[in-house]
Amino acid sequence: MAGSNRDEKGSIQADISQDVIDAALKSVERHAQPPSEDEGLSEGMRTLEVDMPEGGLTLEVDVPASVFGEAVSEAEAESGASALRAALHESHRELSEMRQQLEQARRELEEARAQLEFSQSKSRETMERLKESHERALRATADLENYKKRAQKEKEEVQKFGSERLLKDFLPVIDNLDRAMEAAQKSADFESLRTGVEMTRKLFESAFGKHGVKGFSAVGLPFDPRLHEAMQQVESAEVPAGHVVYEAVRGYTLNERLMRPALVVVARAPATPQPSTEATSSSAEQTGTTPKGSE
């Protein structure tokens, strides 16, 4: 006799013979196909109705009567049908759960695929940006190296030829000195030589002025430690004390900045003369007084 029981996990198990199950499956297959006109219920078959509440269906299962035996009662048959019905219900429930799990897995798979595509798109964009940044960095490095090479080359050229303009301005000065020396060898006219040297000096000053070099005179001016460097001090009644009385070396500035201070001699006030002893004695005799210390 077929029966049913419940295991520890709560699932329903039905003890149904394999013949009943095979017959039920064949009956389901026959009901799935439309019967022909000459087909009918075979002799010796019993029809069991199995309700499927989940789908609103009722399955009719043809089971051979021999399966139940001659002495199988209607109650036992109904009990077997109930067990079969419970087994089918459990199978349908498990099938529904599997479908739900498959649907959930399908949705998760689609979400994962969408996230993967989004991540791949972002990765491609990031790689493109990194590639562009790397190329810009390489170009900047190459430009910097080229700039360093050009700067080094320009620095070397400045060190070699930076004074070319200054020296070119002094070439006429050398020419005038050569002419003055040649004229001194041919003639003993010192006045003409002096005039030539003065002209050469003026040419020197003109060349200096082109490059921002200017000389300044300190004679007669108050001593200024920012512009003058004192050699010594001398007594002078002609020049006020603290003024420059003599200029040994002229000072120069370069673009208003001191390049060389003037080397000068500074005047100081002359010392007051002290009266001598003989002059003091004669003065005392004339007045009739005796100097102290002579008594």
Side-chain angles (χ1 to χ4, degrees), residues 142-280:
D143 293 341
L144 181 60
E145 290 297 328
N146 294 333
Y147 172 77
K148 288 181 178 180
K149 292 179 181 179
R150 289 195 303 269
Q152 182 65 24
K153 185 177 180 180
E154 292 175 357
K155 180 180 178 181
E156 293 175 355
E157 290 180 355
V158 168
Q159 290 176 349
K160 290 181 179 179
F161 308 106
S163 59
E164 180 180 1
R165 181 181 175 184
L166 175 64
L167 297 176
K168 187 181 292 186
D169 291 336
F170 280 101
L171 291 179
V173 178
I174 300 297
D175 296 338
N176 283 347
L177 287 176
D178 291 340
R179 294 190 190 99
M181 293 177 63
E182 184 179 356
Q185 292 177 358
K186 292 181 180 180
S187 175
D189 188 358
F190 292 101
E191 184 65 24
S192 299
L193 180 61
R194 184 180 66 82
T195 303
V197 172
E198 289 179 353
M199 294 177 61
T200 302
R201 187 181 183 283
K202 290 181 180 180
L203 191 59
F204 257 114
E205 290 183 351
S206 176
F208 277 142
K210 290 181 181 180
H211 297 276
V213 179
K214 294 181 180 180
F216 60 89
S217 178
V219 177
L221 299 177
F223 176 77
D224 188 351
R226 296 175 300 176
L227 301 175
H228 307 148
E229 182 178 351
M231 294 173 55
Q232 60 180 353
Q233 285 184 325
V234 295
E235 296 180 355
S236 175
E238 298 178 354
V239 179
H243 286 60
V244 177
V245 66
Y246 175 72
E247 183 180 68
V249 177
R250 196 178 188 192
Y252 287 90
T253 60
L254 175 61
N255 295 323
E256 305 301 330
R257 188 177 71 180
L258 182 66
M259 185 171 65
R260 188 184 72 177
L263 194 60
V264 298
V265 176
V266 183
R268 67 182 179 184
T272 303
Q274 296 293 333
S276 61
T277 305
E278 295 179 355
T280 303

